[in-house]
């Protein structure tokens, strides 16, 4: 089951894969000035953000114990984190995941792997270090993701996402002779299949400081996970994914997926995303259905091309297209696409 949740990284089968490996390796070799030391106030703020109670990782110490012991552990922790940042190293012991599963909303058949979601329980000391790294990242660049991304983004919410989506639909349908096609993309596995090299490449393109780029590479590599399920357990080395439950994972996912949103936008499509849920809006004239089919094919082919380059695929069973119209044309036929009949 753990192998199904976190499969091994697919092989490099495109020149682009080899190219970005080289770009990332060259970026990691760049010289840089020593990072500013983590201050005690940074450490304290990160520690206080940890929950006092709740599930903990492998052999982990609960949050309330760490906070009670603050005066005794603050200096050793500060020295540990500063040494780790200077070495651009995320300690392996702080990356060991205890994976538990929860039922996905609306899924009843728990015998199906797609009905359950893996959650990584990680050491709170490691999460404290993650919070410091994340704050440093936003200090260097307050805007890592585009405006098209509503998930894991400050001052955004599901309500705002739905409002903007419905407003776009309504504004189009209010125009005489106009309809709207909405394509909903579903990335297979999403977080569990995020390619590490592509994440690092995206960070480098967005001018991530070298010491943070190296630290995130260390955070992503040499990870192990132990899944507990049905009174048994198994351990697996992770070669890809951003573990669900880690502090840095939502940020890294947004960085990873941003190039898809930008690519679609540059091709003239209106795009809106909430984490891994991506919608493409295509307005069309009702008397130009052939042109609509061409635009749908163009959008889906662009998504497939991006997926091939980034070692992810789209689920053809849950990726769909919906036609919206103020008055549906009864003679309109469903259209063939690279995946299936929509």
């Amino acid at each position: 089951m753990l192998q199904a949740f976190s499969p091994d990284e697919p092989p490099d089968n495109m020149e682009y894969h080899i190219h970005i490996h080289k770009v990332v390796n060259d970026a990691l070799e760049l010289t840089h000035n020593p990072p500013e030391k983590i201050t005690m106030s940074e450490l304290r703020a990160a520690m206080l953000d940890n929950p006092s109670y709740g599930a903990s990782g492998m052999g982990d110490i609960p949050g309330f114990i760490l906070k009670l012991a603050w005066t005794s552990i603050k200096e050793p922790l500060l020295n540990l984190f500063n040494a780790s940042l200077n070495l651009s190293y995320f300690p392996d012991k702080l990356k060991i995941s205890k994976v538990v599963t929860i039922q996905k909303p609306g899924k009843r058949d728990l015998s199906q792997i797609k009905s359950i979601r893996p959650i990584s329980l990680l050491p709170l000391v490691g999460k404290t270090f993650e919070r410091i790294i994340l704050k440093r990242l936003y200090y260097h660049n307050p805007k890592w993701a585009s405006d098209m991304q509503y998930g894991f983004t400050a001052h955004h919410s599901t309500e705002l996402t739905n409002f903007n989506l419905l407003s776009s639909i309504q504004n189009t349908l209010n125009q005489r002779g106009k309809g709207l096609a909405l394509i909903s993309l579903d990335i297979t596995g999403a977080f569990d299949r995020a390619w590490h090299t592509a994440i690092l490449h995206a960070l480098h393109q967005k001018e991530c400081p070298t010491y943070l780029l190296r630290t995130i590479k260390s955070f992503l590599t040499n990870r192990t996970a132990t899944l507990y399920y049905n009174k048994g357990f198994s351990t697996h080395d992770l070669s890809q994914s951003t573990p669900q439950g880690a502090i840095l994972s939502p940020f890294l996912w947004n960085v990873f997926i941003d190039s898809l949103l930008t690519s679609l936008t540059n091709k003239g499509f209106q795009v809106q995303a909430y984490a891994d849920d991506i919608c493409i809006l295509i307005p069309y004239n009702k008397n130009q259905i052939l042109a609509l089919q061409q635009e749908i094919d163009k959008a889906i082919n662009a998504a497939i091309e991006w997926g091939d380059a980034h070692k992810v695929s789209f689920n053809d069973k849950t990726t769909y297209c919906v036609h919206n119209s103020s008055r549906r044309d009864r003679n309109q036929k469903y259209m063939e696409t690279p995946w299936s009949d929509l």
Side-chain angles (χ1 to χ4, degrees), residues 267-310:
K267 288 178 170 58
F269 296 107
Q270 182 180 344
V271 184
Q272 186 170 305
Y274 193 91
D276 59 331
D277 294 322
I278 303 165
C279 290
I280 306 172
L281 304 178
I282 306 178
Y284 65 92
N285 294 319
K286 294 180 182 178
N287 58 353
Q288 296 180 353
I289 298 301
L290 179 59
L292 170 62
Q293 179 169 352
Q294 293 172 346
E295 285 296 288
I296 291 175
D297 289 347
K298 178 182 173 183
I300 293 179
N301 284 326
I304 293 174
E305 181 181 336
W306 180 91
D308 291 342
H310 291 77

Short mmCIF file of all heavy atoms in Angstrom, two decimals, residues 267-310:
data_model
loop_
_atom_site.label_atom_id
_atom_site.label_comp_id
_atom_site.label_asym_id
_atom_site.label_seq_id
_atom_site.Cartn_x
_atom_site.Cartn_y
_atom_site.Cartn_z
N LYS A 267 -0.85 30.74 -22.96
CA LYS A 267 -1.50 30.25 -24.19
C LYS A 267 -2.90 30.85 -24.37
O LYS A 267 -3.64 30.46 -25.27
CB LYS A 267 -1.57 28.73 -24.18
CG LYS A 267 -0.22 28.05 -24.40
CD LYS A 267 -0.36 26.55 -24.33
CE LYS A 267 0.93 25.85 -24.78
NZ LYS A 267 2.12 26.23 -24.02
N GLY A 268 -3.26 31.78 -23.49
CA GLY A 268 -4.52 32.51 -23.64
C GLY A 268 -5.69 31.96 -22.86
O GLY A 268 -6.83 32.41 -23.05
N PHE A 269 -5.45 30.99 -21.96
CA PHE A 269 -6.55 30.40 -21.20
C PHE A 269 -6.71 31.08 -19.84
O PHE A 269 -5.74 31.53 -19.23
CB PHE A 269 -6.31 28.89 -20.98
CG PHE A 269 -6.28 28.10 -22.25
CD1 PHE A 269 -5.08 27.60 -22.74
CD2 PHE A 269 -7.45 27.87 -22.97
CE1 PHE A 269 -5.05 26.86 -23.92
CE2 PHE A 269 -7.42 27.13 -24.15
CZ PHE A 269 -6.22 26.64 -24.62
N GLN A 270 -7.96 31.13 -19.40
CA GLN A 270 -8.24 31.61 -18.05
C GLN A 270 -8.17 30.41 -17.12
O GLN A 270 -8.86 29.41 -17.31
CB GLN A 270 -9.63 32.25 -17.98
CG GLN A 270 -9.97 32.82 -16.60
CD GLN A 270 -11.35 33.44 -16.56
OE1 GLN A 270 -11.95 33.71 -17.60
NE2 GLN A 270 -11.86 33.68 -15.36
N VAL A 271 -7.33 30.50 -16.11
CA VAL A 271 -7.05 29.36 -15.24
C VAL A 271 -7.28 29.76 -13.79
O VAL A 271 -7.01 30.90 -13.38
CB VAL A 271 -5.59 28.88 -15.41
CG1 VAL A 271 -5.33 27.63 -14.57
CG2 VAL A 271 -5.28 28.60 -16.86
N GLN A 272 -7.77 28.82 -13.02
CA GLN A 272 -7.93 29.02 -11.58
C GLN A 272 -7.61 27.70 -10.88
O GLN A 272 -8.03 26.64 -11.33
CB GLN A 272 -9.36 29.45 -11.25
CG GLN A 272 -9.58 29.81 -9.79
CD GLN A 272 -10.93 30.46 -9.57
OE1 GLN A 272 -11.26 31.46 -10.21
NE2 GLN A 272 -11.73 29.89 -8.68
N ALA A 273 -6.83 27.78 -9.80
CA ALA A 273 -6.42 26.56 -9.10
C ALA A 273 -6.61 26.72 -7.61
O ALA A 273 -6.47 27.81 -7.05
CB ALA A 273 -4.96 26.24 -9.40
N TYR A 274 -6.96 25.60 -6.98
CA TYR A 274 -6.95 25.52 -5.52
C TYR A 274 -6.13 24.28 -5.18
O TYR A 274 -6.62 23.16 -5.27
CB TYR A 274 -8.36 25.42 -4.94
CG TYR A 274 -8.37 25.65 -3.44
CD1 TYR A 274 -8.55 26.93 -2.93
CD2 TYR A 274 -8.16 24.61 -2.55
CE1 TYR A 274 -8.53 27.17 -1.56
CE2 TYR A 274 -8.13 24.83 -1.19
CZ TYR A 274 -8.32 26.11 -0.70
OH TYR A 274 -8.29 26.33 0.66
N ALA A 275 -4.86 24.51 -4.83
CA ALA A 275 -3.91 23.42 -4.59
C ALA A 275 -3.77 22.59 -5.86
O ALA A 275 -3.30 23.09 -6.89
CB ALA A 275 -4.31 22.60 -3.38
N ASP A 276 -4.23 21.33 -5.86
CA ASP A 276 -4.09 20.46 -7.04
C ASP A 276 -5.37 20.39 -7.87
O ASP A 276 -5.43 19.62 -8.83
CB ASP A 276 -3.65 19.06 -6.63
CG ASP A 276 -4.63 18.40 -5.68
OD1 ASP A 276 -5.29 19.12 -4.92
OD2 ASP A 276 -4.72 17.16 -5.67
N ASP A 277 -6.38 21.17 -7.52
CA ASP A 277 -7.61 21.24 -8.31
C ASP A 277 -7.51 22.41 -9.28
O ASP A 277 -7.44 23.57 -8.86
CB ASP A 277 -8.83 21.42 -7.41
CG ASP A 277 -9.06 20.21 -6.52
OD1 ASP A 277 -8.85 19.08 -6.99
OD2 ASP A 277 -9.43 20.39 -5.34
N ILE A 278 -7.50 22.10 -10.57
CA ILE A 278 -7.24 23.12 -11.59
C ILE A 278 -8.42 23.19 -12.55
O ILE A 278 -8.88 22.18 -13.08
CB ILE A 278 -5.96 22.78 -12.37
CG1 ILE A 278 -4.77 22.63 -11.41
CG2 ILE A 278 -5.66 23.84 -13.43
CD1 ILE A 278 -3.57 21.97 -12.02
N CYS A 279 -8.90 24.41 -12.77
CA CYS A 279 -10.00 24.65 -13.71
C CYS A 279 -9.50 25.53 -14.85
O CYS A 279 -8.80 26.52 -14.62
CB CYS A 279 -11.18 25.33 -13.02
SG CYS A 279 -12.06 24.27 -11.87
N ILE A 280 -9.88 25.16 -16.07
CA ILE A 280 -9.59 25.98 -17.24
C ILE A 280 -10.92 26.44 -17.82
O ILE A 280 -11.80 25.62 -18.10
CB ILE A 280 -8.81 25.17 -18.30
CG1 ILE A 280 -7.55 24.56 -17.70
CG2 ILE A 280 -8.45 26.06 -19.49
CD1 ILE A 280 -6.83 23.60 -18.64
N LEU A 281 -11.09 27.74 -17.98
CA LEU A 281 -12.33 28.31 -18.50
C LEU A 281 -12.12 28.74 -19.94
O LEU A 281 -11.19 29.48 -20.25
CB LEU A 281 -12.75 29.51 -17.65
CG LEU A 281 -12.93 29.26 -16.14
CD1 LEU A 281 -13.29 30.55 -15.43
CD2 LEU A 281 -13.98 28.20 -15.90
N ILE A 282 -13.03 28.28 -20.82
CA ILE A 282 -12.91 28.60 -22.25
C ILE A 282 -14.24 29.18 -22.74
O ILE A 282 -15.19 28.43 -23.01
CB ILE A 282 -12.55 27.34 -23.06
CG1 ILE A 282 -11.29 26.68 -22.50
CG2 ILE A 282 -12.37 27.70 -24.54
CD1 ILE A 282 -10.91 25.39 -23.24
N PRO A 283 -14.34 30.49 -22.86
CA PRO A 283 -15.55 31.09 -23.45
C PRO A 283 -15.60 30.77 -24.95
O PRO A 283 -14.57 30.60 -25.60
CB PRO A 283 -15.35 32.59 -23.23
CG PRO A 283 -14.24 32.71 -22.21
CD PRO A 283 -13.39 31.50 -22.41
N TYR A 284 -16.82 30.65 -25.49
CA TYR A 284 -16.94 30.35 -26.92
C TYR A 284 -18.24 30.93 -27.46
O TYR A 284 -19.19 31.19 -26.74
CB TYR A 284 -16.89 28.84 -27.16
CG TYR A 284 -18.05 28.07 -26.58
CD1 TYR A 284 -19.20 27.80 -27.34
CD2 TYR A 284 -18.02 27.60 -25.26
CE1 TYR A 284 -20.26 27.08 -26.82
CE2 TYR A 284 -19.08 26.88 -24.73
CZ TYR A 284 -20.19 26.62 -25.51
OH TYR A 284 -21.25 25.93 -24.98
N ASN A 285 -18.24 31.13 -28.78
CA ASN A 285 -19.45 31.53 -29.48
C ASN A 285 -20.26 30.28 -29.81
O ASN A 285 -19.71 29.28 -30.29
CB ASN A 285 -19.11 32.28 -30.77
CG ASN A 285 -18.44 33.61 -30.50
OD1 ASN A 285 -18.82 34.33 -29.59
ND2 ASN A 285 -17.41 33.93 -31.29
N LYS A 286 -21.53 30.31 -29.54
CA LYS A 286 -22.37 29.11 -29.71
C LYS A 286 -22.44 28.62 -31.15
O LYS A 286 -22.75 27.46 -31.39
CB LYS A 286 -23.77 29.38 -29.18
CG LYS A 286 -23.81 29.62 -27.67
CD LYS A 286 -25.23 29.89 -27.20
CE LYS A 286 -25.26 30.16 -25.71
NZ LYS A 286 -26.63 30.48 -25.24
N ASN A 287 -22.15 29.51 -32.09
CA ASN A 287 -22.19 29.09 -33.49
C ASN A 287 -20.82 28.68 -34.01
O ASN A 287 -20.62 28.53 -35.22
CB ASN A 287 -22.77 30.22 -34.36
CG ASN A 287 -21.95 31.50 -34.26
OD1 ASN A 287 -21.03 31.59 -33.44
ND2 ASN A 287 -22.29 32.48 -35.08
N GLN A 288 -19.84 28.51 -33.09
CA GLN A 288 -18.49 28.12 -33.48
C GLN A 288 -18.02 26.94 -32.62
O GLN A 288 -17.02 27.01 -31.91
CB GLN A 288 -17.53 29.30 -33.36
CG GLN A 288 -17.86 30.46 -34.29
CD GLN A 288 -16.89 31.62 -34.14
OE1 GLN A 288 -16.05 31.64 -33.26
NE2 GLN A 288 -17.03 32.61 -35.01
N ILE A 289 -18.76 25.84 -32.69
CA ILE A 289 -18.45 24.67 -31.86
C ILE A 289 -17.14 24.02 -32.28
O ILE A 289 -16.39 23.51 -31.44
CB ILE A 289 -19.61 23.65 -31.95
CG1 ILE A 289 -20.90 24.28 -31.39
CG2 ILE A 289 -19.27 22.39 -31.15
CD1 ILE A 289 -20.79 24.75 -29.96
N LEU A 290 -16.83 24.04 -33.55
CA LEU A 290 -15.58 23.45 -34.01
C LEU A 290 -14.38 24.19 -33.41
O LEU A 290 -13.40 23.57 -32.98
CB LEU A 290 -15.50 23.48 -35.54
CG LEU A 290 -14.21 22.90 -36.16
CD1 LEU A 290 -14.03 21.43 -35.75
CD2 LEU A 290 -14.23 23.05 -37.68
N ALA A 291 -14.48 25.52 -33.35
CA ALA A 291 -13.40 26.30 -32.75
C ALA A 291 -13.26 25.97 -31.27
O ALA A 291 -12.14 25.94 -30.72
CB ALA A 291 -13.67 27.79 -32.94
N LEU A 292 -14.38 25.72 -30.61
CA LEU A 292 -14.35 25.33 -29.19
C LEU A 292 -13.61 24.02 -29.01
O LEU A 292 -12.77 23.88 -28.12
CB LEU A 292 -15.77 25.22 -28.64
CG LEU A 292 -15.89 24.60 -27.24
CD1 LEU A 292 -15.14 25.43 -26.20
CD2 LEU A 292 -17.34 24.42 -26.85
N GLN A 293 -13.92 23.04 -29.89
CA GLN A 293 -13.25 21.75 -29.77
C GLN A 293 -11.74 21.92 -29.96
O GLN A 293 -10.95 21.30 -29.25
CB GLN A 293 -13.78 20.76 -30.80
CG GLN A 293 -13.07 19.41 -30.72
CD GLN A 293 -13.75 18.33 -31.53
OE1 GLN A 293 -14.83 18.54 -32.05
NE2 GLN A 293 -13.10 17.17 -31.63
N GLN A 294 -11.34 22.78 -30.86
CA GLN A 294 -9.91 23.02 -31.07
C GLN A 294 -9.26 23.63 -29.83
O GLN A 294 -8.13 23.28 -29.47
CB GLN A 294 -9.72 23.93 -32.29
CG GLN A 294 -10.12 23.26 -33.60
CD GLN A 294 -10.11 24.23 -34.78
OE1 GLN A 294 -10.07 25.46 -34.60
NE2 GLN A 294 -10.16 23.68 -35.99
N GLU A 295 -9.97 24.54 -29.16
CA GLU A 295 -9.43 25.16 -27.96
C GLU A 295 -9.33 24.15 -26.81
O GLU A 295 -8.36 24.16 -26.04
CB GLU A 295 -10.31 26.34 -27.53
CG GLU A 295 -10.15 27.58 -28.39
CD GLU A 295 -8.75 28.15 -28.28
OE1 GLU A 295 -8.41 28.71 -27.22
OE2 GLU A 295 -7.98 28.01 -29.25
N ILE A 296 -10.34 23.27 -26.71
CA ILE A 296 -10.30 22.23 -25.67
C ILE A 296 -9.11 21.30 -25.91
O ILE A 296 -8.36 20.97 -24.98
CB ILE A 296 -11.62 21.45 -25.63
CG1 ILE A 296 -12.74 22.36 -25.12
CG2 ILE A 296 -11.49 20.21 -24.75
CD1 ILE A 296 -14.11 21.72 -25.16
N ASP A 297 -8.93 20.87 -27.16
CA ASP A 297 -7.80 20.01 -27.50
C ASP A 297 -6.48 20.71 -27.18
O ASP A 297 -5.54 20.08 -26.66
CB ASP A 297 -7.84 19.62 -28.97
CG ASP A 297 -8.98 18.65 -29.28
OD1 ASP A 297 -9.56 18.10 -28.33
OD2 ASP A 297 -9.27 18.46 -30.47
N LYS A 298 -6.40 21.99 -27.50
CA LYS A 298 -5.18 22.76 -27.25
C LYS A 298 -4.87 22.81 -25.75
O LYS A 298 -3.71 22.62 -25.33
CB LYS A 298 -5.36 24.18 -27.80
CG LYS A 298 -4.18 25.11 -27.55
CD LYS A 298 -4.49 26.50 -28.10
CE LYS A 298 -3.40 27.50 -27.72
NZ LYS A 298 -3.74 28.88 -28.19
N ALA A 299 -5.89 23.04 -24.93
CA ALA A 299 -5.68 23.12 -23.47
C ALA A 299 -5.25 21.78 -22.90
O ALA A 299 -4.31 21.69 -22.10
CB ALA A 299 -6.96 23.60 -22.79
N ILE A 300 -5.94 20.71 -23.31
CA ILE A 300 -5.62 19.39 -22.76
C ILE A 300 -4.25 18.92 -23.23
O ILE A 300 -3.47 18.36 -22.45
CB ILE A 300 -6.71 18.38 -23.15
CG1 ILE A 300 -8.02 18.73 -22.45
CG2 ILE A 300 -6.29 16.96 -22.79
CD1 ILE A 300 -9.18 17.83 -22.77
N ASN A 301 -3.92 19.19 -24.48
CA ASN A 301 -2.60 18.80 -24.98
C ASN A 301 -1.49 19.56 -24.26
O ASN A 301 -0.41 19.01 -23.99
CB ASN A 301 -2.50 19.03 -26.48
CG ASN A 301 -3.25 17.98 -27.28
OD1 ASN A 301 -3.30 16.82 -26.89
ND2 ASN A 301 -3.85 18.38 -28.39
N ALA A 302 -1.76 20.84 -23.94
CA ALA A 302 -0.77 21.63 -23.19
C ALA A 302 -0.57 21.04 -21.79
O ALA A 302 0.56 20.98 -21.28
CB ALA A 302 -1.22 23.08 -23.09
N ALA A 303 -1.66 20.60 -21.16
CA ALA A 303 -1.56 19.99 -19.84
C ALA A 303 -0.79 18.67 -19.90
O ALA A 303 0.07 18.39 -19.05
CB ALA A 303 -2.95 19.76 -19.26
N ILE A 304 -1.09 17.84 -20.92
CA ILE A 304 -0.39 16.56 -21.07
C ILE A 304 1.10 16.79 -21.32
O ILE A 304 1.96 16.10 -20.75
CB ILE A 304 -1.00 15.75 -22.22
CG1 ILE A 304 -2.43 15.31 -21.86
CG2 ILE A 304 -0.15 14.53 -22.54
CD1 ILE A 304 -3.17 14.63 -22.99
N GLU A 305 1.42 17.77 -22.15
CA GLU A 305 2.82 18.08 -22.43
C GLU A 305 3.56 18.50 -21.16
O GLU A 305 4.68 18.06 -20.91
CB GLU A 305 2.89 19.20 -23.49
CG GLU A 305 4.30 19.59 -23.89
CD GLU A 305 4.32 20.71 -24.92
OE1 GLU A 305 3.32 20.86 -25.64
OE2 GLU A 305 5.33 21.42 -25.00
N TRP A 306 2.91 19.35 -20.36
CA TRP A 306 3.52 19.76 -19.08
C TRP A 306 3.69 18.54 -18.17
O TRP A 306 4.72 18.39 -17.51
CB TRP A 306 2.65 20.81 -18.40
CG TRP A 306 3.22 21.27 -17.09
CD1 TRP A 306 4.07 22.32 -16.88
CD2 TRP A 306 2.98 20.69 -15.79
NE1 TRP A 306 4.39 22.43 -15.54
CE2 TRP A 306 3.73 21.44 -14.86
CE3 TRP A 306 2.21 19.62 -15.35
CZ2 TRP A 306 3.73 21.14 -13.49
CZ3 TRP A 306 2.22 19.32 -13.99
CH2 TRP A 306 2.96 20.07 -13.07
N GLY A 307 2.67 17.69 -18.10
CA GLY A 307 2.75 16.51 -17.24
C GLY A 307 3.89 15.59 -17.63
O GLY A 307 4.62 15.09 -16.77
N ASP A 308 4.08 15.37 -18.94
CA ASP A 308 5.18 14.52 -19.40
C ASP A 308 6.53 15.11 -18.99
O ASP A 308 7.44 14.38 -18.57
CB ASP A 308 5.14 14.36 -20.92
CG ASP A 308 3.96 13.52 -21.39
OD1 ASP A 308 3.39 12.78 -20.56
OD2 ASP A 308 3.61 13.61 -22.59
N ALA A 309 6.64 16.42 -19.09
CA ALA A 309 7.91 17.08 -18.74
C ALA A 309 8.17 17.05 -17.25
O ALA A 309 9.33 17.12 -16.82
CB ALA A 309 7.90 18.53 -19.25
N HIS A 310 7.11 16.96 -16.44
CA HIS A 310 7.26 17.01 -14.99
C HIS A 310 6.95 15.68 -14.31
O HIS A 310 6.76 15.61 -13.09
CB HIS A 310 6.37 18.12 -14.42
CG HIS A 310 6.84 19.49 -14.79
ND1 HIS A 310 6.63 20.02 -16.04
CD2 HIS A 310 7.52 20.44 -14.09
CE1 HIS A 310 7.15 21.23 -16.10
NE2 HIS A 310 7.70 21.50 -14.95
#
